[in-house]
Amino acid sequence: LSSIAIAKDNIMLENQAFGWLKNAITGGSTASIGSPSNAAAISGCSDPAVLVSGVAQDFTAAVLNASTSSSAANGVCPDAAPEGGSSSSAAAAVANVENNDAGPPSASAPADDNITNDHLDDLTARLDRIKTLLYEERSASSNAVAQSGSLNLNWIPSVATGIFKNFTSSTESEDDGLLPKLIHHLPLLPFEARKSVSAIFNYLLVCGLDGVDAQQFASVSSAFANYVLERADGIIEQLVRSHDCKPSSEGGPKCVDIALLCGSMLRSSLRHASIYQWILSNGNCERFVYPFLDGYVHNPNFDVSSDALETVRVMLTGAAGGSNAAAVAGMVGDAASEEHKQLMEGIASDFLNRKYADVIDDRINKKCLSSKANYMTRRMSLQLLSSILLNRANYNVMMMYISSSQNLVTILILLRDPSPHITLDAFQVFKIFVANPNKPPEVVKILFDNKVKLVKYLDGLHKDRENSDEQYRDEKQLVISTLEGLEI
């Protein structure tokens, strides 16, 4: 492996890439979190096995408390260890509680916060401590790579590996491990604990994808992605279902923040080609993709609908979000990242070709771009449509779209929208219709019949933008000149 030179600015950017692990820590320190008797022991613990074991036992007690008002022993580090402190016995206890439960609390019917006791305080503290250990290990790793100028592929990230193994280890009575149970019962957990579960889940998925030292964490990231894929029917379904946050939901703010946290976990899952392809497969897209376009993006809650739209963007383009992640990933600049990008775009393109009518015609056009859709849904859907059509990987999709006279009518209506932002976004799609050298006769007729009005309207469209945006000025002039020269 050839050495890689890294500037000081890049070191800062690398640390920022996973800064959310540190920034999400309650109060910036775990020392004051947890029940009074266990706070010091938890904050001083650095053993992933002990911390996860404690989380499992506290979670077991919380589930018992929620369903039977009874409690169970909690677990801490060796100097304050509980009875039966193994993660296996704790996970088995959770499984037994699950078997006796009528069902998990949903985002629309969360558990009462009054049941929160010392067990939930300790659980929150332990999850926070786990995040701290993950961040400290990653920060030390990136600094070591920066100082040496090369990767050490023989180094094993013991913290990330230990946390992965202990969170996902199975027992005789529990095959899935603890993490799916925590996700399934997010409404039961305190707010900070829910954030920590999401952060840990996200980190285990992306630690091997982002950063100059990503290859050193690739084994953990790949192993966790395989773990999620093997249990995708349960995990992905829960992440998707948690977006069903209606105005009448009893959960209120809790319902909203769970939807947002599950959205971030779903997008982290989509960054792995194996999971991404599984979600977009013919047997699964109806369960995991269409609900977003049919309902979640239209949620009256702005945060929920915006987050759902971002998930749809990732689903239909294969492009992960996050400016820091993209910038850090670009530091290495190896062929592998470009190959991964092409792979993801290929999966997205294949899905759009297979399900063009279902996605573009029946959902984006008829639902997301209709006058009944809210402003943000229409605007972000237009931007998404533009990025899809302008991507070379989607050439066949583009040709299908711009060959439809009905699609042209839809865009012409949006081009006259009262919102200047929507008209600008509509222009980015309209220009593709005009620039197509092989326009179908029905498209040519609509443009020809309306070219005088269109030229006059376009001439004044965002006139003030022409001085500051040279590309827009040139593209608009090209569209106008093409329309003027149009003949039947």
Side-chain angles (χ1 to χ4, degrees), residues 137-148:
E137 178 180 63
R138 191 55 183 254
S139 181
S141 169
S142 60
N143 288 335
V145 171
Q147 292 173 8
S148 65

Side-chain angles (χ1 to χ4, degrees), residues 10 27 54 77 102 105 109 169 185-186 194 215 230 250 274 348 386 392-393 402 423 429 434 437 440 443:
N10 288 349
C77 275
S169 61
H185 283 81
L186 281 179
R194 296 197 293 268
Q215 291 183 59
E230 290 170 359
E250 297 177 7
S274 57
S386 175
R392 291 184 179 180
I402 63 176
T423 58
V429 178
V434 178
V443 170

